[in-house]
Every structure is written in structure tokens, then in C-alpha cells.
Amino acid sequence: MLRDPLRIYLAGAIRDGCLDDILWREAFVDRLGERAILLNPLAGKSYVPDAQRWHLYGRPVDARFVVAQDCWGIDRADLIVFNLLPLAAGYPSIGTLVEFGRASVRADVLRYVIVPSEYTGQKNGIFDRH
């Protein structure tokens, strides 16, 4: 019996003009794209600075639409990868924490968290508190 491909949601910050937020996702797509379905919240999205709003495939969308699309991906994932590096660097990454909360109510989803190695075991750092 063939198993459906693993569905992986790539949760993490999407900061305007921050290439790192794109590159880590692209690395997952490059490495796993043929073996898994990658639910990338950046897919088709672009921020248009002149309009000061997000577009999806060239059409303007509001925050409700973006959140609904992200929740759709979280709800369908078998595995969710959380990149918390921006949070560790001081970026509030509120959207990532909302994604984590949404995923936390699901008992059937696996979670993988990316944190910086220098925070491992830190007693007064944010990862010790969370």
C-alpha cells in the first residue's frame, strides 16, 4: 500500500526585505520537494511597499486572508517546522507564535523546532521559559 506524501508546513517569520526568511524555506523545498508536499506560507505572496500591502499571485489580499491561508496549511500538515531563529534574535515573530498555538491543539501533528545552538541549555533565555 502506497502512503500519501508527507505534508510539511514551514512556519516562521516573514519579514519585509529579510532574505533569510526566504532562504531557509527554499532549502527545505530543494531538499524535500520531491519526497514531500511542502506547504510554504510564502508561496505566491509578495509585499508591495508602494501599496503597503501583501499580494497573492499579484492580487492584493488583507491580513484575514493571509491568516486563513496559513491556518489552512497548518490544519493539513503532518509535520510543522517552526523556525524560531528570528524570535531568538529579538524579532517578536507574533505570527509564528500564533502558528505554534494553532498547531499545539492538534495531537496528530509532529513538530520540529529550529533554534540557534547557542541557546541550547541556556537557563535565562527565552527557550528555557517556553
Side-chain angles (χ1 to χ4, degrees):
M1 182 169 130
L2 292 176
R3 180 175 156 20
D4 289 334
L6 187 67
R7 294 176 309 260
I8 304 171
Y9 181 83
L10 304 174
I14 301 174
R15 298 168 284 182
D16 302 335
C18 184
L19 191 58
D20 288 342
D21 295 344
I22 297 169
L23 293 177
W24 78 268
R25 289 178 171 96
E26 287 183 356
F28 268 83
V29 171
D30 289 345
R31 304 260 336 235
L32 298 173
E34 293 183 17
R35 293 180 278 177
I37 296 171
L38 295 166
L39 304 170
N40 184 353
L42 268 175
K45 287 182 190 168
S46 60
Y47 184 76
V48 180
D50 293 340
Q52 294 186 340
R53 69 181 305 162
W54 284 92
H55 284 68
L56 181 67
Y57 299 110
R59 300 188 67 172
V61 293
D62 62 11
R64 273 188 223 140
F65 182 89
V66 171
V67 170
Q69 182 187 33
D70 294 350
C71 290
W72 183 91
I74 292 165
D75 292 346
R76 279 146 188 84
D78 301 306
L79 168 67
I80 302 174
V81 176
F82 294 94
N83 182 350
L84 299 183
L85 295 175
L87 188 64
Y91 180 74
S93 208
I94 295 166
T96 306
L97 296 175
V98 169
E99 291 170 323
F100 192 86
R102 176 103 181 182
S104 294
V105 300
R106 293 188 51 204
D108 64 331
V109 69
L110 298 172
R111 295 167 200 84
Y112 179 80
V113 179
I114 301 170
V115 296
S117 59
E118 65 268 18
Y119 283 86
T120 303
Q122 183 178 342
K123 295 299 176 203
N124 61 352
I126 191 164
F127 298 108
D128 186 54
R129 291 193 299 261
H130 292 79

PDB file of all heavy atoms in Angstrom, residues 10 30 37 59 67 76:
ATOM      1  N   LEU A  10       5.880  25.039   6.677  1.00  0.00           N
ATOM      2  CA  LEU A  10       7.112  25.749   7.036  1.00  0.00           C
ATOM      3  C   LEU A  10       6.767  27.049   7.759  1.00  0.00           C
ATOM      4  O   LEU A  10       6.602  28.103   7.141  1.00  0.00           O
ATOM      5  CB  LEU A  10       7.933  26.025   5.774  1.00  0.00           C
ATOM      6  CG  LEU A  10       8.275  24.786   4.945  1.00  0.00           C
ATOM      7  CD1 LEU A  10       8.963  25.173   3.645  1.00  0.00           C
ATOM      8  CD2 LEU A  10       9.126  23.816   5.748  1.00  0.00           C
ATOM      9  N   ASP A  30      14.180  22.565  -1.779  1.00  0.00           N
ATOM     10  CA  ASP A  30      15.223  21.922  -2.585  1.00  0.00           C
ATOM     11  C   ASP A  30      15.515  20.502  -2.108  1.00  0.00           C
ATOM     12  O   ASP A  30      15.691  19.591  -2.904  1.00  0.00           O
ATOM     13  CB  ASP A  30      16.519  22.740  -2.553  1.00  0.00           C
ATOM     14  CG  ASP A  30      16.407  24.034  -3.345  1.00  0.00           C
ATOM     15  OD1 ASP A  30      15.449  24.166  -4.137  1.00  0.00           O
ATOM     16  OD2 ASP A  30      17.267  24.914  -3.152  1.00  0.00           O
ATOM     17  N   ILE A  37       5.116  17.030   0.306  1.00  0.00           N
ATOM     18  CA  ILE A  37       4.358  18.203  -0.121  1.00  0.00           C
ATOM     19  C   ILE A  37       4.689  19.307   0.875  1.00  0.00           C
ATOM     20  O   ILE A  37       4.421  19.164   2.071  1.00  0.00           O
ATOM     21  CB  ILE A  37       2.846  17.913  -0.124  1.00  0.00           C
ATOM     22  CG1 ILE A  37       2.526  16.837  -1.158  1.00  0.00           C
ATOM     23  CG2 ILE A  37       2.063  19.191  -0.390  1.00  0.00           C
ATOM     24  CD1 ILE A  37       1.104  16.322  -1.082  1.00  0.00           C
ATOM     25  N   ARG A  59      -2.431  39.753  -6.776  1.00  0.00           N
ATOM     26  CA  ARG A  59      -3.693  40.374  -6.349  1.00  0.00           C
ATOM     27  C   ARG A  59      -3.600  40.778  -4.882  1.00  0.00           C
ATOM     28  O   ARG A  59      -3.119  40.001  -4.061  1.00  0.00           O
ATOM     29  CB  ARG A  59      -4.850  39.404  -6.545  1.00  0.00           C
ATOM     30  CG  ARG A  59      -4.988  38.996  -8.016  1.00  0.00           C
ATOM     31  CD  ARG A  59      -6.208  38.229  -8.243  1.00  0.00           C
ATOM     32  NE  ARG A  59      -7.324  39.145  -8.008  1.00  0.00           N
ATOM     33  CZ  ARG A  59      -8.574  38.834  -8.271  1.00  0.00           C
ATOM     34  NH1 ARG A  59      -8.861  37.650  -8.743  1.00  0.00           N
ATOM     35  NH2 ARG A  59      -9.536  39.690  -8.055  1.00  0.00           N
ATOM     36  N   VAL A  67      -3.949  35.074   7.123  1.00  0.00           N
ATOM     37  CA  VAL A  67      -4.074  34.214   8.304  1.00  0.00           C
ATOM     38  C   VAL A  67      -4.878  32.962   7.962  1.00  0.00           C
ATOM     39  O   VAL A  67      -4.507  31.850   8.346  1.00  0.00           O
ATOM     40  CB  VAL A  67      -4.711  34.987   9.484  1.00  0.00           C
ATOM     41  CG1 VAL A  67      -5.075  34.046  10.621  1.00  0.00           C
ATOM     42  CG2 VAL A  67      -3.763  36.073   9.970  1.00  0.00           C
ATOM     43  N   ARG A  76      -3.631  21.061   7.678  1.00  0.00           N
ATOM     44  CA  ARG A  76      -3.457  19.927   6.766  1.00  0.00           C
ATOM     45  C   ARG A  76      -2.081  19.277   6.852  1.00  0.00           C
ATOM     46  O   ARG A  76      -1.825  18.285   6.193  1.00  0.00           O
ATOM     47  CB  ARG A  76      -3.725  20.382   5.338  1.00  0.00           C
ATOM     48  CG  ARG A  76      -5.212  20.419   5.071  1.00  0.00           C
ATOM     49  CD  ARG A  76      -5.616  21.533   4.139  1.00  0.00           C
ATOM     50  NE  ARG A  76      -7.068  21.630   4.065  1.00  0.00           N
ATOM     51  CZ  ARG A  76      -7.811  22.300   4.940  1.00  0.00           C
ATOM     52  NH1 ARG A  76      -7.270  22.903   5.969  1.00  0.00           N
ATOM     53  NH2 ARG A  76      -9.126  22.362   4.807  1.00  0.00           N
TER      54      ARG A  76
END
